[in-house]
Structures are given as C-alpha cells and as structure tokens.
Amino acid sequence: MTETVEREIAGPRTYRNSAALVDNADPVWQAAADNGLIDIAVDHESNNRLVVPETGHAFANMCSCSYLGLNRHPAVLEGVVDAVRDTGTIELMTSTTRIRPTIQRRLEEELGDLFGAHALLSTTCSTVTAGLLPLLASGHLAPGGPRVMIFDRYAHFSMAYVKATCAQESLVLTSGHNDIDFIADACRKYPSVAYVADGAYSMGGAAALDQLLELQDRYGLYLYFDDSHSLSIMGERGEGFVRSRTAPGPLTTIVASLGKGFGSGGGVALLHNAAQAEFLARHGGPLGWSQNLSVPTIGAALGSAAIHRSPELGELQAQLRANLALFDELLPTPLSGNGLPVRRIDVGDADRAVRLSTELYQRGFYSSAVFFPIVPKGQAGLRVMIRADMDRSDLTAFAAHVTELSSAE
Amino acid sequence: MTETVEREIAGPRTYRNSAALVDNADPVWQAAADNGLIDIAVDHESNNRLVVPETGHAFANMCSCSYLGLNRHPAVLEGVVDAVRDTGTIELMTSTTRIRPTIQRRLEEELGDLFGAHALLSTTCSTVTAGLLPLLASGHLAPGGPRVMIFDRYAHFSMAYVKATCAQESLVLTSGHNDIDFIADACRKYPSVAYVADGAYSMGGAAALDQLLELQDRYGLYLYFDDSHSLSIMGERGEGFVRSRTAPGPLTTIVASLGKGFGSGGGVALLHNAAQAEFLARHGGPLGWSQNLSVPTIGAALGSAAIHRSPELGELQAQLRANLALFDELLPTPLSGNGLPVRRIDVGDADRAVRLSTELYQRGFYSSAVFFPIVPKGQAGLRVMIRADMDRSDLTAFAAHVTELSSAE
C-alpha cells in the first residue's frame, strides 16, 4: 500500500498502540515461552503443589490471586454443587435486566449486606468497568454534564481499555501514579472530574485515598476504584481497602472481582442505591446483555459469603498477614509492610527477570516475570502474590532461592 | 458550567452517544419497569415454568438463548459437579496465558476437535471480541498494515462497543445491514479491509455469507463472525451457521458464546492455528488478564461437548426445527423458514410493544419487548426465541394470544 493510504487509514493511537505494545513485549513473551514459562497446563492437589502431568514437574504457585486460598475451600466448592442441584440450571440465558434466578438476587442481597452497599453483579469486573465508565464520562451517573475522566497511569488494563470509549463522551486524561497535584489542578480547571484507579494496585501499592477524599469534599471529584486486589483480605467482613475507609455514595463507586480473594468468580459493583443499579442494568451495555453470571459461580460466591460472616475469615486474614510478615522479613522490598498481598521483586531488565523466573520455576516456584506493558519499561521484575494458604517452609525456601540467584547474577 | 467549557470537555460521540441512547430508551425501559417486565427474579422447575415466589405468578420463558434446553440438561449439570470434585478448585486465579488447569486444555482440545479449529477460551464472547478486534484493526492478525474495519449496522453491541477502541488503530466504518455493495466498494478503495458481523443475528436473520466469501476470494476481505446464536443448533456436531459453510483461516475468525445453545458459559474463538491463539493470549488484553473461565463452567462445557458427539444432538436439533416449523405456521413473520431460532413479531411503536409484552406476560408468557437501541427506531416489537424444549401446547397457546391481542389493538 502507498504511504498516503496507510496514513489515511491509521488511527491516532492516542489511547492504545498495538504496534508499540507488541514490538516491545513480544520478544520478552517469546523468551518466557522459550523457557517454558507460559502455556503451562497443570493438575493440582493444592495451590502449593501444581504438577505438569507430562513431565511430573511440581511447583508452588507464587502468583495466584486467591489470597485467602478460598478457590479450593470446601464450602465454596459445595456452594457450587448445592446451587446446581437446587436450581437445576446453569443460567437462564436471558438478559438479567429482565429475568434472573432468585439465587442471583440472594447473592446481590448477601453482598449488599456484607459490604454495606447496593450490589450489582456481572460476569467479570472488567465487564462492570466497560459498562459503567462511559456512562460516568457522559455525565449520566452524577450531575454536572460530561465529566473529565482522569485515569491513573497504573490503573489496571481493564480500566485503561475503556479510555477510547470514554473519550467518545468526554475529555480523557492520564495522571501520574497517585499524582494528587495533577488531579487537584484538573478539579480547579474543569467543572466535573472523575478519577479512575485501583484501590489496592494489581502490581502493588494503594491509592492515595485520604487525599482523594479531600479532593472529593472540596471539588466534587468522582472516585471510581477497582479494589479487586484487596477484597476479602481486609476489613471485618472482607470489605477491602477502600470500603474499609469510605462508603459508596453519589460520587464514589467501588468495583471488584469476586474471582480473587473472594474465591468465586464474576464481578460486583458496590453502588449507593438501587436506582443506580437499575440505570446501569438498562443502559450499561454488557451489564444488560444476556451474558449471565452463572449459577455455579453464584453458588461459589454464596459459599464464600458464608465464610465472610464466620470467624474463619479473620483467621484466614491473620494467616495472610503472618505470611506477608514472614515474606517481608525474608525479602524486604519497597512494598514491605503495606498490608497488601502483592509484592514485586525489582530486577529492571526484562530478560533478566525472565531468567530469574525460569530458574525459580525449575526449582519449584512459579512467580510471574512482569515487563512492559504490564509494568513500565525498565521496571521489569517478578510479581509474587502472598496467600494465606502458603506454607511457611515454601516461603522460606523461595526467599532463599531468590537471594541466592540474585546475588549470583 | 459555561457552554464553552462543556464544548471543550464533550467528546465527539462518533461511535457511541450515551445521551441519545438514554434519552430514547429510558422512557421505554421505564414503561417496561412500570408494567413489571424487568427486574423479575424467579424460581423455576423448567424453562417452560418460571415462578415469581412473591406472587406465585408462573410463566414460560419465550426469550431464553438456551436453544436446545441444554442449560438444564443433567449431563451438563453433572459436568459441573464432576469438574469441581475432580479438580477441587474453582479456578487457579492466575493468568491463563501462564498457567491453566489441564481440564481447560482438555476443553480447548475437545472444542477444537468438535468444531475443526484451534479453540481459544475466555470468560465471555464479548471478552474475545474486546481482545481480538483491536489487534485485527492494527494489522497484527493478518498482513497488510492497519485494516479498515467495517462493522455491520446490526452487528451485536459487544462488537459495536469496541468501535472506538479499533478506531485508535485504523479507520472504522459502519455498513448497512448485509450491504455487500458498500463492503465491495471499501475493498476496492482500501488495501486491507475486515468485516465484523453476526453469523446468525441476535435479532434474527443471517450474514450474506456466500457473497462475503466471494469478496474474501477476490479482495482478501477478513471476515469476523460472532456466531453465538447458531452454535450447537446447526451442523452435524453443532458447529453452527458459519462453520458449517466455511472454516477458520488466515482471513476468517469465528467466535461464539458457549452460554447460549451450547448450554454452558464462556466464550470461544475458533482460530486457524495455535500461533494465533498464543499471540492473542499474549497481547489480547482481557484474553490474558487473570480472569479465568471457571472450572465449573469448563465442566458444564465438557458435559455439553459429550452431548454434541452423541445422537442426542441431532434429536434436539430436530425438536428445535419442529418447534420452529410450528411457530412459523402459527405466526408467520419475515424470518419464517430461515432455520434460525430468533423470531421477531413486529409492532413498530415501542409503547405498543411494551403493552403487548405486558399482556402476554400476564397470560403466562415472557417475550422481550425490544426497542431502540436494541433494534432501530420505529421497529419495536417482541423478540421470541424458539427452543427445543418448548412444549407444543405452549407454542400454540402463545401464538393464539399474540393473534388475539394483535387484532384487538
């Protein structure tokens, strides 16, 4: 094709740029693949012992988001079986805006009560984001007309993905990570602003919540948090980092995956009233299509909700804290002591991160090598997620291997 | 806010326009709500008898996408229980690009074999679309540089949703429905073009497949079909409308929901090779995040796959055809005889469609009132989906009510 035609066809690549993404990341993915680090299929008897059946290679999963180990909890598994036996169905395969099984309403009520909010369910947390954010941008979730949308630079991909869609409705900006000055400036410049961010970040750390709430008080800043990485692990009822500190309201929405600490699957929006939920079910695109949160998943979530009401939740949270304390003692990182379960072992160079991950995998521990675009360029490393159901001996051994391998390089 | 600032903030609204959507649709949704047609929670003993527990009102579901009734099939339900018991897990809660349970690989192989393709799984079909289409637009799935993306005007919302994201990478156009001349013109004008459409349309009818394949032969047109509404119901192994007639290839991708005729949940891309699947798992955004297709859903799908290999599939397809023939005889519509299960009873005016749906619901039949933006303005009506497990007596009674109520207006 002539260059002129290509220029005519090519998009602006303001909010995404596949070529930059692929050109940078694919060689590293390929190195990971060459070292056997991706496309691994396993049997497993616990989260600490996954086995590749072809080779018998066994390893501990150091990067599962099942922070409390609920993905294998008997009550969660039995929740699936009970739900399927009781209802005799997988899903209605009808738009849940119109008709849904009573067991789904039961879960909405259960989560609403547990977390002090009006709960809207969907198939995944990214579906909630995809349905909700454009309506926030267009000014349909809060007064003040089209709302300037500020995405934190480190906001999860599932939020960054909808930037272009939001930009159809309003001005979209990207702030530095936790850049309160940038957000404050925008609040002074524009009549209505929203800030879109993780609560607890998928790559570690947390939102600057106190300062953000101050901006909300002063300027009416709308706050949208995906708090998937802290749900269940913090708070008396597992309400998570953000919900422990503030409530959903006319200018605050919290969403979360139920497929991480919570141990089931699907996504939830914690809203401040039923009217907002109904509005989103009507107009929130994927929130209204007939892709249902399945009955088995609802059953798992009900099983998990019961654990959240029992003393066991506190025990599991305490185990997680103890494992985190041990890890932080053995392998101090800049994230040490933050009370959240994601840790990063900084390496810098992507190839070196892949090498380290490979060595560790061979020694029986899978930790994710993370590199651009998962983390910024030059900040490659290993991502480790601490869980309540990790063995202290495994953590100790893992830390020793990391220390040995890092000093050897 | 001043008008100037609002103008500065407001987006171009080229690919979506929340205000137009909400302003047009909400009054009709409200009328539906006022008539008790949305937000219905039910118990049910079959797809033909849903019961509102508070009132005891019982009705048949005339708008479930479970075209073969597999959402309640014992083998599908037992598939869930077996998978959970065998694996002892809900999901690994780790990016499946890195690690996935062997039961997921088993389902990939099973679907690949069943449908003659390389199968890539995800949480929903819309997730597959969201991950794949921007990479098609940017020129990463086929040679020829950025690819002009033509979306059929009636392509499902889950595809239309990603227009703005695709437009970041390439020129995005919207064609009339099945407007072959428009597509051919674009093929002559631009060096590489893709056409994005339903195979069997969610609101009835099908793609103009023969003519599209001709354009593919002549101009290298990439064809992307979401064939969710015909999977399982057509073809010896339930391969659906498009796959019965053509295969995935370097310029053809078929995606489908497993949560409709197939009776389980999740989404699948039928690709032409493993390399494409791996590329998408690496770079396809939501296809690589750690939102997993859950083990219970995989179990349901394995149960359904076994039915697809048995003579029962043909029997269920025949029952569906018989029910369709009966419906078409009783209530002829422009879609009669097309072999697909979606029917529309045209009403025209949205309020009248809501009234008709209300009357039918009170008489024991839920059919969806559909209106803008679900269908074009002025083309409101009832959407009815025929299933294999409908009772002939229910169909006969439903048709009689429609005839009576329509003539009374």
Side-chain angles (χ1 to χ4, degrees), chain A residues 316-355:
Chain A
L316 292 171
Q317 289 176 337
Q319 281 174 35
L320 173 60
R321 280 196 302 272
N323 282 342
L324 267 168
L326 176 62
F327 183 88
D328 287 343
E329 186 194 316
L330 296 169
L331 280 181
T333 66
L335 297 170
S336 287
N338 74 355
L340 296 165
V342 177
R343 290 290 174 269
R344 268 168 58 198
I345 299 166
D346 292 331
V347 174
D349 178 63
D351 289 329
R352 227 183 116 212
V354 170
R355 276 204 305 281

Side-chain angles (χ1 to χ4, degrees), chain A residues 21-193:
Chain A
L21 182 148
V22 172
D23 293 351
N24 274 282
D26 204 64
V28 195
W29 279 114
Q30 190 54 47
D34 293 342
N35 285 288
L37 293 177
I38 68 170
D39 199 21
I40 301 170
V42 296
D43 295 327
H44 64 306
E45 62 204 35
S46 88
N47 291 318
N48 299 317
R49 191 176 158 81
L50 317 187
V51 180
V52 180
E54 291 82 3
T55 61
H57 181 61
F59 61 97
N61 191 352
M62 307 297 286
C63 57
S64 167
C65 300
S66 182
Y67 300 119
L68 299 181
L70 294 182
N71 68 323
R72 296 183 62 82
H73 194 290
V76 176
L77 301 177
E78 284 315 300
V80 173
V81 176
D82 290 348
V84 167
R85 298 250 198 264
D86 288 353
T87 65
T89 197
I90 298 295
E91 23 176 292
L92 291 179
M93 301 180 179
T94 298
S95 161
T96 52
T97 304
R98 299 178 190 269
I99 309 174
R100 64 198 190 290
T102 50
I103 195 171
Q104 176 163 345
R105 188 174 60 185
R106 217 177 104 207
L107 180 59
E108 290 160 5
E109 290 169 355
E110 180 66 20
L111 293 179
D113 187 60
L114 201 57
F115 299 138
H118 192 91
L120 176 69
L121 296 170
S122 190
T123 47
T124 67
C125 185
S126 58
T127 301
V128 178
T129 289
L132 192 152
L133 285 189
L135 291 168
L136 179 55
S138 62
H140 283 88
L141 294 189
R147 193 165 280 266
V148 173
M149 302 290 286
I150 302 177
F151 288 73
D152 191 280
R153 183 186 170 204
Y154 290 179
H156 188 263
F157 286 103
S158 55
M159 291 174 274
Y161 184 92
V162 299
K163 279 182 183 176
T165 308
C166 289
Q168 287 291 306
E169 301 285 1
S170 186
L171 180 65
V172 168
L173 305 172
T174 302
S175 72
H177 179 47
N178 282 340
D179 187 343
I180 294 294
D181 291 341
F182 182 97
I183 304 161
D185 283 348
C187 287
R188 284 185 285 266
K189 183 165 177 193
Y190 301 108
S192 59
V193 179

Side-chain angles (χ1 to χ4, degrees), chain A residues 118-388:
Chain A
H118 192 91
L120 176 69
L121 296 170
S122 190
T123 47
T124 67
C125 185
S126 58
T127 301
V128 178
T129 289
L132 192 152
L133 285 189
L135 291 168
L136 179 55
S138 62
H140 283 88
L141 294 189
R147 193 165 280 266
V148 173
M149 302 290 286
I150 302 177
F151 288 73
D152 191 280
R153 183 186 170 204
Y154 290 179
H156 188 263
F157 286 103
S158 55
M159 291 174 274
Y161 184 92
V162 299
K163 279 182 183 176
T165 308
C166 289
Q168 287 291 306
E169 301 285 1
S170 186
L171 180 65
V172 168
L173 305 172
T174 302
S175 72
H177 179 47
N178 282 340
D179 187 343
I180 294 294
D181 291 341
F182 182 97
I183 304 161
D185 283 348
C187 287
R188 284 185 285 266
K189 183 165 177 193
Y190 301 108
S192 59
V193 179
Y195 173 64
V196 176
D198 296 19
Y201 275 80
S202 63
M203 293 296 143
L209 196 53
D210 292 343
Q211 294 157 285
L212 291 166
L213 289 169
E214 249 182 67
L215 292 183
Q216 180 175 79
D217 274 352
R218 193 174 312 165
Y219 300 110
L221 175 67
Y222 199 110
L223 296 172
Y224 181 89
F225 293 113
D226 179 337
D227 214 10
S228 298
H229 289 274
S230 80
L231 196 73
S232 302
I233 67 166
M234 299 179 115
E236 203 179 335
R237 287 179 164 184
E239 58 268 34
F241 172 76
V242 177
R243 183 65 191 90
S244 298
R245 289 157 181 79
T246 191
L251 294 175
T252 305
T253 300
I254 304 165
V255 302
S257 168
L258 300 173
K260 301 196 187 294
F262 197 80
S264 59
V268 66
L270 302 180
L271 305 169
H272 73 296
N273 64 27
Q276 199 176 40
E278 188 165 321
F279 184 84
L280 289 167
R282 292 179 188 182
H283 304 296
L287 294 167
W289 305 332
S290 50
Q291 49 182 29
N292 304 166
L293 184 63
S294 75
V295 166
T297 304
I298 291 170
L302 286 168
S304 175
I307 298 167
H308 280 68
R309 291 190 181 278
S310 79
E312 195 180 351
L313 182 76
E315 292 158 22
L316 292 171
Q317 289 176 337
Q319 281 174 35
L320 173 60
R321 280 196 302 272
N323 282 342
L324 267 168
L326 176 62
F327 183 88
D328 287 343
E329 186 194 316
L330 296 169
L331 280 181
T333 66
L335 297 170
S336 287
N338 74 355
L340 296 165
V342 177
R343 290 290 174 269
R344 268 168 58 198
I345 299 166
D346 292 331
V347 174
D349 178 63
D351 289 329
R352 227 183 116 212
V354 170
R355 276 204 305 281
L356 183 56
S357 177
T358 306
E359 283 281 353
L360 289 165
Y361 178 52
Q362 285 160 1
R363 294 179 183 202
F365 297 93
Y366 193 99
S367 53
S368 308
V370 289
F371 39 82
F372 180 84
I374 305 169
V375 294
K377 286 180 209 174
Q379 297 185 27
L382 299 187
R383 183 186 185 211
V384 178
M385 281 96 108
I386 308 303
R387 298 190 318 273

Side-chain angles (χ1 to χ4, degrees), chain A residues 15 26 43 102 130 161 168 283, chain B residues 15 26 43 102 130 161 168 283:
Chain A
Y15 302 111
D26 204 64
D43 295 327
T102 50
Y161 184 92
Q168 287 291 306
H283 304 296
Chain B
Y15 302 111
D26 204 65
D43 295 326
T102 50
Y161 183 91
Q168 287 290 305
H283 304 295

